[in-house]
Amino acid sequence: MFRIRKEMKLVVIVFIILFSIYLGIKRSNLDKVFVQTDVKIDQSSANDIFENSYNYNKIKFEYLSEDLNEIRTLFTQINETEDLSIMYSDIKTNHVLVVLDIPVEATEALLPELRNVAGLSNENIQRSGIIMENTDLKENLNNNQIAKTRIQNLINQSVSPDRIQRFRNQLDIVQAKIDSLSIQKDIQKHNADYDIILLSAIKSTNGNSALRKSMQVFLVTSIASLLLLIIALVICYYIFVLMNKLMLVLGIRTTRGSSSNYNYNYNKKGYERKIKRIYKDKNGDVIKTDRTKE
């Protein structure tokens, strides 16, 4: 019969329990729940775009939440905004970081929704106040346009090739200034009509809910592992017993069984020994000889 020593049984039981607990801890990440792990993300690129922009209204919202699905859903809705421009986007499982260039009229409807998102930790709005038109820019543009018209008239009135070439060079310089001033005017108009918004959401990994979830996974995994290991151990035990019986039926003996039988036969044979007894009289003469076995 296949037998296991008491010490070995104790070792196997302790190993199964410890291994089940180990699997539960690894599966549930319970060892990491009690460690303060603040999520850190690189916001330098997004902050540079936000700070270096010249929009008259700059808006920043920061969130710290255990569930980022709400902010992701809102961002999907924002993408449907007409004339929206995404200047930066970094969306991962543990954070959402986007910079948006959005029309002013769309911002007014968006702000209440941003304030209602769970986990809002910081709201910062920088407004330039009343937007004043840059009179210097407008005046410079008008002056250059007048100069352009005057040079064109001089070209039309001139007959000398040298004068015409000189006026055309002056016209190219004036036109370059007009183009530059026009671009600046368009940029100013865009900065007045569009707001820049920085949305930063970081997933919080600590909290009671995370601990409860990890404990549930730990208990389920540990108990399931313990039961499966016990079942596997019982199956292996009966397989060994069946193999041992099958070997005995086939006439195959184990080393331990063979050595035990040999020692038994040897001891039995050695125990039966012959003893010779000699009986003598008073004079020392041999009377009788007897041989017995013990």
Side-chain angles (χ1 to χ4, degrees), residues 5 98 122 126 140 161 175 217 244 249 251 263 291:
R5 290 184 299 177
V98 293
N122 182 38
Q126 304 174 22
N140 289 336
Q175 184 61 49
V217 177
N244 188 43
V249 171
N263 291 334
R291 296 180 181 272

Side-chain angles (χ1 to χ4, degrees), residues 4-186:
I4 301 178
R5 290 184 299 177
K6 183 178 180 180
E7 295 81 2
M8 181 59 67
K9 291 180 181 179
L10 182 61
V11 172
V12 172
I13 292 172
V14 173
F15 172 78
I16 290 176
I17 295 175
L18 293 179
F19 189 66
S20 301
I21 294 174
Y22 170 78
L23 292 178
I25 293 176
K26 296 302 291 184
R27 178 71 183 275
S28 63
N29 292 325
L30 192 61
D31 54 336
K32 298 180 181 179
V33 172
F34 297 99
V35 180
Q36 185 71 22
T37 55
D38 296 331
V39 178
K40 296 182 180 180
I41 61 176
D42 184 10
Q43 302 188 35
S44 57
S45 299
N47 286 328
D48 289 342
I49 295 174
F50 181 80
E51 297 296 338
N52 294 329
S53 65
Y54 293 94
N55 298 68
Y56 295 147
N57 296 325
K58 295 184 177 183
I59 303 171
K60 180 185 291 186
F61 279 84
E62 297 179 352
Y63 301 89
L64 184 62
S65 176
E66 296 178 3
D67 188 3
L68 301 182
N69 290 329
E70 187 176 1
I71 190 66
R72 289 195 180 99
T73 302
L74 180 59
F75 178 63
T76 303
Q77 297 174 356
I78 296 174
N79 283 339
E80 300 175 358
T81 304
E82 189 175 355
D83 297 332
L84 171 71
S85 177
I86 301 176
M87 305 183 69
Y88 183 86
S89 177
D90 182 18
I91 301 177
K92 301 288 175 47
T93 56
N94 60 348
H95 71 269
V96 175
L97 183 62
V98 293
V99 179
L100 307 173
D101 192 56
I102 187 171
V104 174
E105 56 272 13
T107 303
E108 298 301 326
L110 179 61
L111 287 180
E113 297 184 28
L114 292 174
R115 293 189 179 103
N116 290 331
V117 176
L120 178 62
S121 60
N122 182 38
E123 175 184 345
N124 184 275
I125 300 178
Q126 304 174 22
R127 299 187 184 276
S128 300
I130 300 176
I131 300 174
M132 302 295 295
E133 186 175 6
N134 193 329
T135 56
D136 292 337
L137 177 61
K138 184 177 180 180
E139 184 177 354
N140 289 336
L141 184 59
N142 291 334
N143 291 337
N144 280 277
Q145 289 175 344
I146 293 173
K148 177 182 176 180
T149 302
R150 181 174 59 82
I151 294 173
Q152 287 176 339
N153 292 332
L154 291 175
I155 292 175
N156 295 332
Q157 295 173 3
S158 298
V159 294
S160 172
D162 293 337
R163 290 173 61 86
I164 293 174
Q165 183 62 40
R166 186 167 63 252
F167 288 144
R168 284 179 177 175
N169 292 338
Q170 294 177 3
L171 182 63
D172 292 339
I173 296 174
V174 172
Q175 184 61 49
K177 291 181 181 180
I178 292 174
D179 294 340
S180 177
L181 293 171
S182 298
I183 292 173
Q184 293 182 34
K185 184 178 180 180
D186 293 339

